[in-house]
Amino acid sequence: MNDQNRSQKLKELLPMHPPQKYKPIGVCIYCGNTTNLSDEHIIPLGLGGRMELPKASCSVCSEKTSFFEMICLRTMYGPLRQLYGLPSRRKKKLPKKLPLKVKYKSTDDWTEVLVDQVDYPFLLTFPYFSMPNLITGKQTLYRKGAATNKLWIRGASAYENFFDHLQRLTLELQVHSIMPEAKAQVQEFCQLLAKIGHSFAVAELGYGNFKPLLLGLIVDKELSNCANFIGSLDIDEKASRNIHELSIYEDHQRNYIIVRMRFLAILGTPTYHVVVGQKN
Ligand SMILES: [Zn+2]
């Protein structure tokens, strides 16, 4: 099966990750607050993640992290929301119809029609970056803040082959052609990577057992030094057998703690490296 086919029947490929619960933390892992704590999903449920860190986020921080998480899920991972049952949980908040670009005749300009969300042909998107400056020792001048000019993109449809889906929709809408669109919210995506990295490091190493470097990026959207901490391998990678991959390693020379992460790795997505902290 080639990569194209792999990414099409998502339902068969992407079962929900098995649940895993860490020990309760009892303090907000972002600001240190000890009241109004809720459980933190390390990888969002909307991406099929089920690793939980109980009593780990206060209501203020939880609101901030949910904000960028929802932006990423809505714009970049729409079809996954259907797979993981999110629409039924948050039915009221979801837009029921989404604008799709179509042409009625080949000579027409592109115009928009509203399509039911369930029928919306989506492109899954992952930004590529260079490796974090703190790992390579380089200073990139061209990448200030969170930005990229390169994306990993695959056609995605929850329940059928992507191209069958496009063909069916073309017939149903009685149009000549359809242009599925990819959107990448790179700033919010970097915040999400930082959140996943930080919460995973706390889960694995314990709260207070390392010096965190990403709190400003997560809570206050301080993205100006993003390239120092967050990056990826800028290469085409083979699909893995795992849905998600999350692991932690140390840069012994500089005492950095780094989280390696890959979401939907089974589709051949990019691997991210996030410098989350320094050893105490
Ligand atoms: Zn907090």
Side-chain angles (χ1 to χ4, degrees), residues 28-33 57-62:
C28 175
I29 62 170
Y30 307 110
C31 75
N33 200 331
S57 179
C58 76
S59 53
V60 177
C61 293
S62 172

Side-chain angles (χ1 to χ4, degrees), residues 4-262:
Q4 201 90 59
N5 287 331
R6 267 180 191 285
S7 61
Q8 286 160 5
K9 291 193 181 173
L10 291 176
K11 200 182 180 188
E12 290 155 33
L13 278 167
L14 301 173
M16 198 174 268
H17 220 245
Q20 187 187 349
K21 230 175 196 162
Y22 286 91
K23 276 191 191 147
I25 302 292
V27 56
C28 175
I29 62 170
Y30 307 110
C31 75
N33 200 331
T34 52
T35 51
N36 289 327
L37 299 174
S38 57
D39 301 348
E40 184 73 327
H41 270 96
I42 296 174
I43 298 175
L45 187 63
L47 277 171
R50 292 178 77 193
M51 294 161 92
E52 259 182 87
L53 204 52
K55 291 191 185 301
S57 179
C58 76
S59 53
V60 177
C61 293
S62 172
E63 198 171 315
K64 291 179 181 174
T65 55
S66 312
F67 183 74
F68 57 72
E69 197 173 292
M70 282 312 290
I71 289 180
C72 292
L73 292 179
R74 219 171 253 177
T75 55
M76 299 162 76
Y77 308 110
L80 303 178
R81 291 153 63 80
Q82 289 161 37
L83 289 191
Y84 298 126
L86 288 194
S88 56
R89 278 183 52 186
R90 298 177 182 246
K91 220 168 206 165
K92 279 179 193 149
K93 285 186 182 171
L94 282 173
K96 288 199 174 115
K97 302 234 179 204
L98 295 170
L100 177 66
K101 284 207 170 125
V102 297
K103 272 185 185 188
Y104 286 96
K105 278 185 261 149
S106 62
T107 49
D108 284 355
D109 286 334
W110 291 103
T111 176
E112 282 183 350
V113 290
L114 290 175
V115 173
D116 280 342
Q117 186 172 35
V118 175
D119 266 336
Y120 194 80
F122 244 96
L123 299 175
L124 289 178
T125 313
F126 285 94
Y128 280 107
F129 303 111
S130 45
M131 283 293 276
N133 293 337
L134 288 177
I135 298 178
T136 59
K138 279 185 210 155
Q139 271 303 330
T140 39
L141 295 171
Y142 59 89
R143 183 156 77 86
K144 287 200 174 132
T148 185
N149 54 11
K150 192 175 166 190
L151 298 173
W152 178 99
I153 296 175
R154 294 287 185 283
S157 169
Y159 302 108
E160 61 193 323
N161 174 297
F162 186 64
F163 294 101
D164 290 348
H165 182 162
L166 288 186
Q167 209 162 21
R168 175 173 65 78
L169 213 54
T170 307
L171 286 172
E172 280 178 16
L173 297 170
Q174 300 188 314
V175 295
H176 173 268
S177 42
I178 289 175
M179 176 159 58
E181 288 182 287
K183 289 194 189 113
Q185 300 279 354
V186 179
Q187 297 196 352
E188 286 79 7
F189 186 73
C190 283
Q191 284 187 286
L192 181 59
L193 293 180
K195 190 219 91 158
I196 293 168
H198 177 72
S199 56
F200 183 64
V202 172
E204 289 289 314
L205 306 175
Y207 180 78
N209 288 340
F210 64 96
K211 183 185 159 213
L213 294 174
L214 300 177
L215 298 179
L217 210 156
I218 298 167
V219 182
D220 298 319
K221 209 175 177 180
E222 278 170 21
L223 290 157
S224 54
N225 294 321
C226 195
N228 290 342
F229 306 103
I230 294 178
S232 75
L233 295 174
D234 186 9
I235 51 166
D236 231 357
E237 292 180 73
K238 281 212 174 106
S240 142
R241 282 167 185 272
N242 306 311
I243 304 170
H244 302 307
E245 291 172 359
L246 209 48
S247 59
I248 205 160
Y249 68 96
E250 282 176 25
D251 177 331
H252 292 289
Q253 231 177 346
R254 305 181 192 89
N255 285 329
Y256 287 131
I257 294 158
I258 302 159
V259 175
R260 176 192 177 278
M261 48 185 97
R262 202 174 176 203

